[in-house]
Amino acid sequence: MENGILQAMAADLGIDRYIDESRTQYCNRVLYSAMACWIKAAALDQPLVPAQGDVQGMSKRHILSKCTSVWEEMLKRFPESAVWFETASDTDTPVSILLGRLIRHGDLLQVGFGTNLILAESNRIPLSASAECIKGELLSQGVQYSGIAMIRKTEENIAFKSKSHEDVTVWFREYVRRAWWKPACTDEDIQYFNAYRKSYNNHSCWQSEQPAAVEGIWLVRRNIFQKGYEYFLLRQEDDLMKHRLDPFMQKMGVHRRFMIAMRHMAHNAVLTQVCCHHDHVSVKLSVHLPQKENSLLETYAWPRGSLTDRLVWDMDNHAWDFVEPQLCALGVTLMMEEKENHG
């Protein structure tokens, strides 16, 4: 019976099982996309007793409660997926995590001082000359889910103008030019990011000794609480000058963008493994990405190892056509591999 339910959900979502994919991983992908669909459906509910005034949307509490019940029922039917969907805390549940991703994608819009959610109006966004993303809908004929995003294949000859993505070197120089700088004192309790160190990850590039600067700039950090840092840029003019990355910038992952940019400019780019299968693309990152690029993967791809995996992703080929140029603009080097699948 469970196999029948899984196949029915997969058919509705347009998800096919990959060649050489295990049943459990296939089940994880189907449930991941199905949860996104359930959350959007719950946003269309109407209050039983309308409040006075024009109240839009459904409360987040209602959506979380309803979809959590559905989710718990699904885990009873597919217990092998329970481990994959485990989260680090009780506050970050699978439903709340997917809810946040749908909001960032723009499928759900916040109203009522951010306490309520509505489904966005139906709209289409071209991804390439052969595919478009559909927002504001649940299911549709000829549409397939890739992650939480709905993708429809279009005619090959449609007019499409690819969007130009800002090169990370241009971004770096413009940021430095516009940044607000102030005199700095030498602080012994800091670490420098060495963009020239040969390392697969960025964690190993931090050191106490001052490395060579990248275009006159050092990225530094200082421990401010347990497992937490604040980040600064330093530059040497007549005096030592600094620019602090405020908490919002850090939340957006600007410090990660600087690390990737500086390694790219130091001819020591971050490497990303990309395996092109016959029926999908797998991406294995070596570093955590800034929020913008990470949200792309959260939207258009399925995390491989677990719901909260941020390094290994699988996605539809059409989604990859949209994601690839944005990763290249970020400054990572893609190591491409073609893989023969066995049927």
Side-chain angles (χ1 to χ4, degrees):
M1 179 178 178
E2 282 72 18
N3 278 336
I5 294 174
L6 183 65
Q7 292 302 325
M9 288 193 298
D12 287 341
L13 298 166
I15 298 175
D16 295 321
R17 184 171 175 176
Y18 297 148
I19 300 172
D20 294 339
E21 181 180 37
S22 70
R23 181 188 181 279
T24 299
Q25 185 59 31
Y26 173 56
C27 182
N28 296 340
R29 290 197 300 115
V30 172
L31 291 179
Y32 181 88
S33 298
M35 191 190 311
C37 189
W38 298 331
I39 292 171
K40 290 191 290 183
L44 293 173
D45 288 349
Q46 296 296 324
L48 294 177
V49 182
Q52 290 183 347
D54 184 18
V55 178
Q56 285 187 313
M58 288 302 304
S59 71
K60 291 182 181 178
R61 179 178 296 182
H62 166 82
I63 294 173
L64 289 170
S65 176
K66 180 174 181 177
C67 292
T68 297
S69 297
V70 176
W71 172 239
E72 290 173 347
E73 181 61 31
M74 284 296 105
L75 282 190
K76 293 177 183 177
R77 298 176 182 273
F78 305 101
E80 65 272 25
S81 289
V83 173
W84 192 88
F85 283 94
E86 285 182 353
T87 57
S89 68
D90 294 335
T91 55
D92 290 328
T93 67
V95 177
S96 67
I97 289 173
L98 266 292
L99 184 65
R101 294 178 182 180
L102 285 165
I103 292 172
R104 287 191 289 274
H105 178 43
D107 249 340
L108 294 178
L109 305 178
Q110 301 188 76
V111 293
F113 302 103
T115 58
N116 289 9
L117 295 171
I118 60 172
L119 187 64
E121 292 186 3
S122 177
N123 63 96
R124 289 161 169 73
I125 301 172
L127 300 181
S128 67
S130 58
E132 61 184 6
C133 174
I134 299 177
K135 296 184 182 181
E137 297 185 19
L138 305 181
L139 300 168
S140 182
Q141 189 70 27
V143 171
Q144 60 191 74
Y145 272 76
S146 184
I148 63 172
M150 295 176 63
I151 295 178
R152 185 198 301 276
K153 298 177 183 178
T154 58
E155 297 297 331
E156 293 288 343
N157 59 355
I158 66 169
F160 174 76
K161 183 177 181 180
S162 60
K163 182 179 178 181
S164 177
H165 301 288
E166 184 180 40
D167 179 81
V168 74
T169 303
V170 175
W171 171 85
F172 176 94
R173 291 168 177 164
E174 184 65 14
Y175 187 104
V176 169
R177 187 182 71 83
R178 292 176 174 270
W180 184 73
W181 299 87
K182 68 178 183 178
C185 299
T186 302
D187 192 336
E188 296 180 356
D189 188 27
I190 61 174
Q191 291 181 315
Y192 293 86
F193 182 74
N194 185 352
Y196 299 91
R197 175 174 288 181
K198 299 297 181 182
S199 172
Y200 190 64
N201 58 48
N202 282 336
H203 174 74
S204 301
C205 294
W206 289 97
Q207 60 187 48
S208 56
E209 300 82 14
Q210 185 183 83
V214 176
E215 296 197 358
I217 299 295
W218 292 278
L219 175 66
V220 302
R221 69 182 184 184
R222 180 175 61 194
N223 188 274
I224 53 175
F225 52 85
Q226 188 177 13
K227 296 183 180 181
Y229 298 93
E230 61 178 350
Y231 293 83
F232 300 87
L233 300 181
L234 293 179
R235 72 180 185 188
Q236 185 70 53
E237 297 177 344
D238 294 334
D239 297 311
L240 186 66
M241 307 294 289
K242 74 175 181 180
H243 166 74
R244 177 175 176 266
L245 303 183
D246 64 41
F248 176 75
M249 291 180 182
Q250 189 171 333
K251 181 179 179 181
M252 298 299 292
V254 173
H255 59 299
R256 297 192 180 105
R257 192 175 301 279
F258 269 108
M259 286 186 265
I260 296 171
M262 294 173 79
R263 288 189 60 169
H264 172 71
M265 296 166 69
H267 306 291
N268 181 35
V270 169
L271 302 179
T272 295
Q273 298 177 3
V274 180
C275 188
C276 298
H277 303 263
H278 172 72
D279 50 5
H280 71 288
V281 174
S282 296
V283 177
K284 185 177 181 180
L285 303 167
S286 58
V287 301
H288 289 164
L289 301 181
Q291 181 173 298
K292 176 186 173 184
E293 288 76 13
N294 186 68
S295 292
L296 279 177
L297 296 172
E298 289 179 344
T299 298
Y300 292 100
W302 292 279
R304 172 80 64 80
S306 69
L307 172 67
T308 55
D309 188 353
R310 298 167 64 185
L311 297 179
V312 187
W313 303 84
D314 297 305
M315 71 190 80
D316 177 87
N317 290 287
H318 293 285
W320 173 244
D321 290 340
F322 178 66
V323 172
E324 179 184 15
Q326 300 185 64
L327 292 184
C328 291
L330 179 62
V332 302
T333 293
L334 304 180
M335 302 175 63
M336 307 297 293
E337 175 189 358
E338 298 284 342
K339 184 172 182 179
E340 293 290 336
N341 293 106
H342 303 284

